[in-house]
């Protein structure tokens, strides 16, 4: 896990199976013993450039670095895309002189990979059009808390094969979960992600199944996950998408096909009574606010790993 120091997190696929396990272990330690890490990143500087709106990601990164002794600077890029005023390469060569880590929320995934390629300090993907790795790490941490382990867990994702879906598929594979995805025709997750997930699953015993039928995907599941059908940047497609995604709504009737102790998950913000009903979102199976809380703990673990504040923690899963 020490080797993670100085690296980037653009995609979940940037991590090995062992590194994912180490981040999970550290997230448990950080959540249970926050005082042990109070000064682990003293005086470290984190900058966040966001081209899109955010509540959870922005605030959990800010509180994460602050409770580790470091400092956050937020730059609103919603009005001017990154790379417009000056090149990403020139930005990187400035930032690395002052900053210890760069956190980016972008439209194009390539904005993140290009900044990562140019910068000497770690770059973290805080959501791009392709992936939302920090979300998926927190979500599987939430599942580990609930079920003890994600290995062998039946994880169902219903809806758009989007950024969140991509990162969840890869994380499920790394932790040896069985992932089924039900999406409408034309909205399946990207094949390159599926291929990577299959490759990873061969090491971990996980599996990935692509379906169109939400009932099939959810039957027997331990966790049912959905996200908005129209992500940020796709607003112009909202009216076209709404009827296509109607049969994919997670409601009590769909949840009844899952295990009786199944959890309902959503990254938030939710479009209430669109992709999920109030009854499910606010119901006893919902863990959506645990997920939101865990964004902070998981990102503390990630920052500790990438900035080298986690030296005394070892991976104790025997991987
Ligand atoms: N789940 C999530 O990333 O929320 P925000 O868009 O509010 O950061
Ligand atoms: N898929 C959503 C997630 C928001 C946290 C989006 O990209 O808008």
């Amino acid at each position: 896990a020490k080797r993670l120091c100085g690296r980037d997190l653009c995609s979940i696929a940037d991590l090995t199976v062992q590194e994912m396990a180490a981040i999970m272990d550290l997230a448990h330690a950080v959540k249970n013993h926050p005082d042990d890490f109070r000064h682990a990143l003293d005086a470290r500087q984190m900058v966040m450039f966001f081209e899109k709106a955010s509540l959870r990601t922005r605030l959990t990164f800010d509180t994460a670095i602050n409770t580790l002794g470091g400092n956050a600077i937020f730059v609103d890029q919603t009005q001017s895309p990154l790379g417009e005023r000056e090149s990403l390469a020139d930005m990187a060569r400035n930032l690395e002189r002052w900053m210890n880590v760069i956190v980016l929320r972008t439209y194009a995934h390539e904005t993140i990979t290009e900044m990562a390629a140019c910068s000497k300090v770690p770059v973290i993907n805080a959501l791009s059009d392709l992936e939302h790795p920090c979300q998926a790490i927190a979500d599987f941490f939430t599942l580990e808390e609930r079920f003890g382990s994600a290995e062998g867990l039946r994880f169902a994702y219903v809806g758009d094969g989007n950024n969140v879906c991509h990162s969840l598929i890869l994380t499920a594979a790394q932790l040896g979960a069985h992932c089924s995805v039900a999406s409408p025709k034309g909205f399946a997750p990207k094949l390159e992600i599926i291929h990577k997930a299959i490759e990873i699953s061969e090491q971990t015993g996980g599996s990935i199944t692509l379906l169109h039928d939400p009932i099939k995907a959810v039957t027997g599941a331990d966790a049912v996950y959905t996200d908005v059908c129209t992500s940020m940047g796709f607003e112009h497609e909202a009216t076209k998408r709404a009827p296509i995604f109607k049969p994919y709504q997670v409601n009590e009737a769909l949840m009844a096909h899952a295990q009786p102790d199944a959890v309902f998950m959503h990254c938030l913000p939710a479009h209430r009574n669109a992709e999920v009903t109030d009854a499910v979102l606010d119901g006893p199976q919902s863990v959506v606010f645990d997920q939101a809380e865990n964004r902070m703990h998981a990102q503390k673990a990630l920052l500790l790993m990438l900035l080298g504040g986690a030296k005394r923690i070892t991976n104790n899963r025997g991987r």
Side-chain angles (χ1 to χ4, degrees), residues 53-57 105 132 135 267-268 295:
S54 174
L55 177 73
R56 281 148 291 272
T57 308
R105 171 167 284 202
H132 195 1
Q135 181 69 50
C267 57
L268 304 178
R295 293 292 305 277

Side-chain angles (χ1 to χ4, degrees), residues 52 105 127 132 162-164 227-228 230-232 267-269:
K52 291 169 174 169
R105 171 167 284 202
L127 183 148
H132 195 1
N162 61 15
N163 46 8
V164 170
D227 185 10
V228 292
T230 305
S231 285
M232 291 182 280
C267 57
L268 304 178

Side-chain angles (χ1 to χ4, degrees), residues 73 103 116 300:
I73 301 170
V103 178
K300 283 173 83 167

